[in-house]
Amino acid sequence: MRVPYKWLQQYVDVTLPPAELADKLTMAGLAVEGVEDLTPGFQKVVAGKIKTITPHPDADHLVICNVDAGRELQLVTGAPNVHEGQMVAVALEGARLPGGREIHRATFRGVVSEGMLCSAQELGLDVSLVSPEDREGIITLPPDASPGADAAEVLGLKDVVLVLELTPNRADCLSILGVAREVAAITGAPIHLPATLPGEDGPEITGLATVEITAPDLCARYVARLVQGVRIGPSPAWLQAFLRAAGMRPINNVVDITNFIMLEMGQPLHAFDYDLLEGHRIIVRRAGPGEKITTLDGVERELDPEMLVIADAARPVAVAGVMGGLATEVTPATTNILIESAHFDGASIRRTSRRLGLRSEASTRFERGVNLEGAPAAADRAARLMAELAGGRVAPGRIDCYVKRRQPVTIELRPERVNYLLGTELAPTTMKELLERLHLEVRGEGPFQVTVPAYRGDLTGEIDLVEEIARLYGYNRIPVTLPGNLTAREKQAPAQRWEEAGREAAAAAGLAEVITYSFIGPRALDQLRLPEDHPWRRTVKIQNPLREEQSIMRPSLLPGLLEVAGRNASRRVLPVAIYELGRVFIPAGSRRPGEPLRLAGLVMGTTPRGWNWPAGEMDFYYLKGILESIFSRLRVRDVSWEASNAYPFLHPGRAATIKAGTRVLGYLGELHPDVLAAVELPARACAFELDWEAAGDQALRVPRYEPLPRFPAVERDLAVVVPATTPAAAVAGVIREAGGELLRAIALFDVYEGAPVPEGCKSLAYSLVYQLPDRTLTDAEVNAAQERIQRALEERLGASLRQ
C-alpha cells in the first residue's frame, strides 16, 4: 500500500517528518517497508499552454509551437501528439533534466527554439503512469494547471510516499483513511473525515434503475447511485497527482474518481455507462454455464457457475469484484453514470480471480475484507465528486439492497487480564483511553464492553483488544519479565520419535539428508519407464501449477533424489550418498489425498580409499548393507529380501522387494540403464524406498534386555552346494526352520563358484551357533540338529554337502 504523505495530511494533522512517522507506524505494528522520496531529477521545468502551432518552413517533421509558460516562448518540436490548447511540460533555457542533460536555446533549420517540450521519459517518470498516447510523445499535463507553474508540483512529485507492508488481517489500512486513523491514534492528532453527501437534483433513482441480488451468499450488499449529464475529460491536477503518487495511472475524471475513493476509503467502486445497461437493470447473480464476457482489458473470458457476475437484463456486464466489462465501459461519449458500491464474499472473489488469472486493486481489497457498512458513504462521495469535477447532476436517493446485515461486535475486556498477559500495571482508565483513540466504543468500568466499528473486521476477541492496547502503549515500554508459570516439557508423539529415529539411523549409516520439492512434473515419471497403468501414474494434480515441471504431487521420493544426484554429478561432486524422509501423495477420490511417510536413499560412485583399504563401489550390496544397519539400529524384525522384476525403473536381476514378515516395506535395487540415461547420471546408481510407517509397525520400539548366556555355545560350519539360481536367503530359511530352538545364530561367510563345484551350481558356507539358555548341549544333540538341517536342505532345495 502506497500512502502519499500530502494526501495523508488531508485527513490528519500530522507534522512529523515522514521518516519519523514511518518509524512510529512500524513500532505500532503497521510495518513501513520504505519511505520513497518523489523529488524529481529535473529543474526549471514548468507548465505551459500551447497557443498556436505552425508548420516549420524547412522541415516536414517539425512544428513551431507558441507556448504560454508564464511568458511567451517559441518552441520547436517533432512530437506527434501536440495540439493547440494542450498543457505541456516546458524545459526552460538553463533547465537540467535527469542524467545531467542541460537545455539551451537552439536553432533548428533556421528557427530558434527557446526551450524544449518534454516527454515522460525525458523527465525520468514511470511511463506506466502516463496515458498510452503520451508514451510516444510529450507528456500532457492536467488542463487546470497554471502556465508557469512548477511542473514537479503539477505532477505531484514534491511529495514523499510511505510504502506499507500490510499483514492480511489489516484490510482497513488498504485505504488512506484507514492509515489516517492509525496515525491519529498513535500521535493523538485529530482526524478530518471527507464530506460525502452530494447535492441532488432531478427525479428519484428508484424510478430510473433497479437492483436485484439472486446470490445473497456471495453479495451481502449492493448500493447504486445515478449521476446524469457528466462530461468526460481529464481529472484536475490534484487528483492526478494523488493517483500517480499512489501508483495508479489517471484515465479520465469519472474513472479517476472511482479509483481515488477506492484508495481513500478502501471501498472498490465501478462506474457503468447507464445508457448501455439493458433495461437499466442490475442483477447480481452467478454466471451461467459457458457464459462469456469481454473485460475492460479487451480479453474475452469464459465464466463458470461458481463465479459471481453483475448482469443487466441481457448479459454479464462485470466480473463482480474483479473487473468491469467492455460493453458498458465509460467512454468520451458517456453522459450518465451508474455507480456501484458493493460488498462481495472474499473467498468467492479470490477463487474467481485465480481461475481467470486476473488480479486487480479491487479484488485485492475484497479478498481481504471490505467494510460492509461503508458502501453507502463511498457511493455518496463518488456522486459528490462527479458532480463537482464532471459537471453531473446527482439523482435523489440511492438504491441499497442490504440482504445480509452485519451483526454488531461487542467484546468483553477484563483489565486484569490485560495486565496479566502483558506483564504491565496499566490503569483501566489508560486502557480505555487507548481503545477510544482507535474509535472503539468502551462502556463500563471493568470488565469493559467494547463495541468494534465495522471497518475493524480483525477485532473479534478479547486477545485482539489486548494486542491493540499493547501496540498503542508501545511494545518498547512493556517490561521484560519471565513467564509466571512453569512451562511444560515438550514431548514428541511416537510418530515424531520414529521419524526422528529414521533420520538419525540414515545419517549414522553414512547418508546425507536432502529435502526436495513435493511438486514434480509428469516427465519425471516418464523418465522412470513407468507404464500407463502403474500406480504411480495416478497422481494428485495441482489446480494452479506455477509451471509444468511442478504440476503434480510426488507419488514417490525417487524423482527428487534423482534430480539431486544429477545436479551433484554435473558439478563433479561424487560420490553421492543421500537420503530423504518425507511424505508422498496418493489420490483418494473425493477425500483428502493420503500422505504416507517414506524413507528413500540413493548411492552412486565409489567409497573413498585409504592408506590401508581400497576404494569400493557403492553397489547393490553396499546399499543393502546400509539398510541392514538401519534395520538393526532400529530393531525392525523379520526382514527378508526377495528378488523381483516388478519395478520397471530397476535393473532386471538386480532388484529386490523388502519385507518384514509378510508385509512389504519397499524396494531396493540398481537403477535401470535407461533411467540413468534419461536423468543423465554418469555412473551406476542404486536406490531404495521404504514405507516408513509400516517399518515402524514391525520395530521393537522399546529395547528388550537379554542376560549374558550362562552355558557355552557350540559352533559348527556347514557348506552346501545348491543350484546357482537358489537365493542364499532361501537356504538360510530352511536352516533356521530345521535347526529349531537349538539354533541361536546363522551367518553366511563364503560363496564360491568354480571347480570342483559343478557348473551351474554354487557353494554356500554358513557358520551355525547352537546354544540353550538353561543347560549345556551334548554332542549328540548338536549332531542330530546338523543331520536334520542336511536332510531338509536336500529334500527341499536339492542341496548336497560340499566335499
Side-chain angles (χ1 to χ4, degrees):
M1 176 67 185
R2 294 173 59 86
V3 181
Y5 195 66
K6 289 185 177 179
W7 193 354
L8 184 65
Q9 288 178 312
Q10 298 286 316
Y11 311 118
V12 61
D13 297 333
V14 57
T15 57
L16 294 173
E20 187 176 338
L21 177 61
D23 183 63
K24 286 185 176 295
L25 285 170
T26 300
M27 292 301 294
L30 208 64
V32 179
E33 191 178 55
V35 179
E36 186 178 319
D37 192 344
L38 300 183
T39 301
F42 57 81
Q43 299 173 355
K44 293 190 70 174
V45 180
V46 299
K49 186 173 185 178
I50 299 178
K51 309 294 286 186
T52 62
I53 300 176
T54 57
H56 192 288
D58 195 28
D60 293 339
H61 65 285
L62 298 177
V63 294
I64 303 169
C65 298
N66 184 270
V67 179
D68 177 9
R71 58 188 177 89
E72 295 292 322
L73 295 176
Q74 177 178 281
L75 303 172
V76 178
T77 182
N81 64 328
V82 293
H83 56 83
E84 292 181 357
Q86 184 180 16
M87 193 63 67
V88 295
V90 179
L92 304 175
E93 186 177 358
R96 284 188 175 273
L97 300 183
R101 181 182 179 186
E102 190 168 343
I103 303 302
H104 301 282
R105 181 186 295 254
T107 302
F108 297 91
R109 298 224 179 164
V111 178
V112 175
S113 182
E114 300 174 289
M116 186 181 78
L117 301 182
C118 299
S119 67
Q121 294 93 329
E122 289 165 333
L123 294 179
L125 304 180
D126 184 352
V127 295
S128 67
L129 300 181
V130 300
S131 66
E133 298 79 17
D134 289 351
R135 293 174 191 173
E136 302 300 325
I138 62 167
I139 185 171
T140 301
L141 300 183
D144 62 336
S146 301
D150 187 347
E153 289 280 5
V154 173
L155 291 167
L157 297 178
K158 291 194 173 180
D159 200 354
V160 175
V161 174
L162 306 181
V163 183
L164 272 58
E165 184 67 28
L166 297 175
T167 53
N169 65 312
R170 291 309 303 271
D172 60 302
C173 289
L174 283 171
S175 66
I176 305 296
L177 273 175
V179 178
R181 291 189 187 98
E182 285 291 306
V183 172
I186 293 167
T187 64
I191 190 169
H192 313 293
L193 298 179
T196 57
L197 290 177
E200 298 176 335
D201 183 29
E204 290 272 349
I205 186 176
T206 51
L208 302 173
T210 59
V211 173
E212 179 186 0
I213 299 175
T214 64
D217 56 325
L218 302 182
C219 177
R221 191 173 196 177
Y222 194 100
V223 177
R225 292 218 67 153
L226 179 62
V227 183
Q228 298 172 302
V230 299
R231 295 185 298 277
I232 306 299
S235 298
W238 66 267
L239 179 50
Q240 292 195 33
F242 281 163
L243 289 179
R244 283 198 182 96
M248 299 194 76
R249 175 172 64 88
I251 298 174
N252 60 51
N253 49 7
V254 168
V255 175
D256 291 351
I257 287 168
T258 61
N259 287 334
F260 174 82
I261 292 170
M262 177 181 67
L263 294 172
E264 178 188 58
M265 305 180 73
Q267 171 65 55
L269 303 177
H270 186 66
F272 294 102
D273 187 323
Y274 169 79
D275 297 314
L276 299 179
L277 289 170
E278 289 287 341
H280 300 153
R281 294 183 63 193
I282 289 291
I283 305 172
V284 186
R285 60 172 174 82
R286 284 178 166 83
E291 211 165 20
K292 296 181 179 180
I293 184 175
T294 301
T295 47
L296 288 172
D297 55 3
V299 178
E300 185 180 66
R301 303 180 186 275
E302 185 170 346
L303 309 173
D304 65 53
E306 292 301 313
M307 298 178 182
L308 187 68
V309 298
I310 311 301
D312 61 12
R315 76 243 147 132
V317 293
V319 181
V322 180
M323 186 174 285
L326 197 63
T328 54
E329 178 188 20
V330 174
T331 67
T334 299
T335 57
N336 300 315
I337 299 291
L338 186 75
I339 300 168
E340 168 193 285
S341 180
H343 184 281
F344 303 119
D345 176 69
S348 169
I349 300 303
R350 186 181 300 111
R351 286 194 300 268
T352 299
S353 176
R354 287 182 177 178
R355 288 182 185 177
L356 295 179
L358 182 63
R359 291 189 63 82
S360 62
E361 290 284 345
S363 68
T364 297
R365 284 163 174 79
F366 280 121
E367 286 175 15
R368 295 195 179 193
V370 169
N371 177 12
L372 183 59
E373 302 292 347
D380 291 346
R381 178 137 171 87
R384 180 189 180 100
L385 289 179
M386 288 182 192
E388 293 176 359
L389 305 181
R393 301 185 316 277
V394 181
R398 65 170 95 92
I399 299 175
D400 187 355
C401 286
Y402 199 171
V403 295
K404 194 175 180 182
R405 294 188 173 273
R406 172 183 178 269
Q407 298 300 317
V409 176
T410 299
I411 303 170
E412 183 176 277
L413 178 67
R414 297 163 289 173
E416 64 276 8
R417 182 66 175 170
V418 175
N419 284 326
Y420 172 78
L421 291 173
L422 300 182
T424 56
E425 296 181 359
L426 297 178
T429 54
T430 302
M431 300 178 192
K432 182 177 181 181
E433 177 191 348
L434 292 172
L435 293 175
E436 287 177 339
R437 278 160 56 180
L438 290 167
H439 303 282
L440 306 181
E441 183 184 343
V442 184
R443 301 184 306 278
E445 298 299 328
F448 296 126
Q449 300 299 316
V450 183
T451 301
V452 179
Y455 56 80
R456 287 302 303 270
D458 59 310
L459 304 181
T460 58
E462 184 181 39
I463 194 63
D464 298 320
L465 299 180
V466 175
E467 182 184 2
E468 295 299 290
I469 291 171
R471 68 186 189 86
L472 284 185
Y473 178 69
Y475 293 121
N476 57 325
R477 298 174 62 190
I478 296 176
V480 178
T481 57
L482 291 174
N485 295 334
L486 292 175
T487 56
R489 290 185 60 188
E490 180 183 357
K491 293 183 179 180
Q492 288 184 317
Q496 292 173 314
R497 290 197 296 270
W498 178 244
E499 187 173 339
E500 190 63 28
R503 289 191 171 89
E504 292 176 356
L511 303 179
E513 184 176 18
V514 299
I515 300 175
T516 64
Y517 284 115
S518 299
F519 311 139
I520 63 172
R523 182 171 175 269
L525 302 181
D526 296 337
Q527 292 173 333
L528 296 179
R529 304 175 67 251
L530 299 181
E532 291 301 321
D533 59 348
H534 194 276
W536 289 1
R537 290 284 189 180
R538 296 192 292 274
T539 58
V540 178
K541 295 178 175 57
I542 299 171
Q543 190 169 11
N544 297 302
L546 296 176
R547 52 186 182 142
E548 178 67 17
E549 291 79 5
Q550 294 182 338
S551 60
I552 58 177
M553 304 298 289
R554 64 187 181 190
S556 164
L557 301 180
L558 183 58
L561 295 181
L562 290 173
E563 183 180 354
V564 172
R567 188 180 302 113
N568 279 267
S570 67
R571 291 161 174 77
R572 299 185 181 277
V573 180
L574 292 172
V576 173
I578 56 177
Y579 82 93
E580 180 172 12
L581 185 61
R583 298 195 177 274
V584 299
F585 302 87
I586 300 173
S590 59
R591 296 181 290 111
R592 178 177 174 178
E595 299 182 26
L597 189 65
R598 298 280 191 262
L599 173 65
L602 183 146
V603 294
M604 179 176 66
T606 58
T607 59
R609 65 182 180 179
W611 67 272
N612 64 342
W613 66 84
E617 186 175 2
M618 292 179 169
D619 57 7
F620 176 95
Y621 293 104
Y622 177 86
L623 191 56
K624 180 174 181 284
I626 286 179
L627 276 177
E628 288 176 334
S629 170
I630 292 173
F631 290 145
S632 174
R633 180 186 177 98
L634 299 180
R635 299 177 295 277
V636 179
R637 298 165 296 178
D638 302 327
V639 176
S640 62
W641 317 78
E642 295 181 3
S644 174
N645 291 325
Y647 307 99
F649 48 88
L650 297 181
H651 195 297
R654 300 177 187 174
T657 295
I658 306 169
K659 291 184 176 180
T662 59
R663 189 168 183 179
V664 175
L665 298 185
Y667 64 82
L668 163 69
E670 183 179 318
L671 292 172
H672 196 286
D674 290 348
V675 174
L676 297 177
V679 298
E680 300 180 353
L681 291 185
R684 292 165 61 183
C686 296
F688 73 85
E689 187 166 12
L690 302 174
D691 183 334
W692 197 237
E693 290 158 336
D697 294 340
Q698 297 296 123
L700 184 64
R701 299 293 183 93
V702 180
R704 187 176 298 161
Y705 170 74
E706 288 187 8
L708 290 173
R710 295 175 56 195
F711 299 95
V714 178
E715 295 185 16
R716 296 283 180 91
D717 291 343
L718 178 67
V720 294
V721 177
V722 295
T725 56
T726 302
V731 177
V734 172
I735 293 174
R736 190 173 291 108
E737 183 180 342
E741 64 175 4
L742 301 185
L743 186 62
R744 184 170 180 268
I746 176 175
L748 176 69
F749 68 86
D750 182 61
V751 178
Y752 176 75
E753 292 183 69
V757 176
E759 187 176 351
C761 295
K762 62 184 176 182
S763 168
L764 302 178
Y766 292 88
S767 174
L768 309 182
V769 178
Y770 296 96
Q771 190 175 36
L772 286 177
D774 56 349
R775 62 184 178 85
T776 301
L777 290 171
T778 65
D779 286 343
E781 289 175 315
V782 174
N783 292 337
Q786 286 281 96
E787 292 175 2
R788 285 199 307 273
I789 291 172
Q790 293 172 18
R791 286 197 303 271
L793 290 172
E794 182 179 353
E795 293 171 0
R796 296 171 59 178
L797 299 178
S800 61
L801 287 178
R802 181 177 172 183
Q803 301 301 321

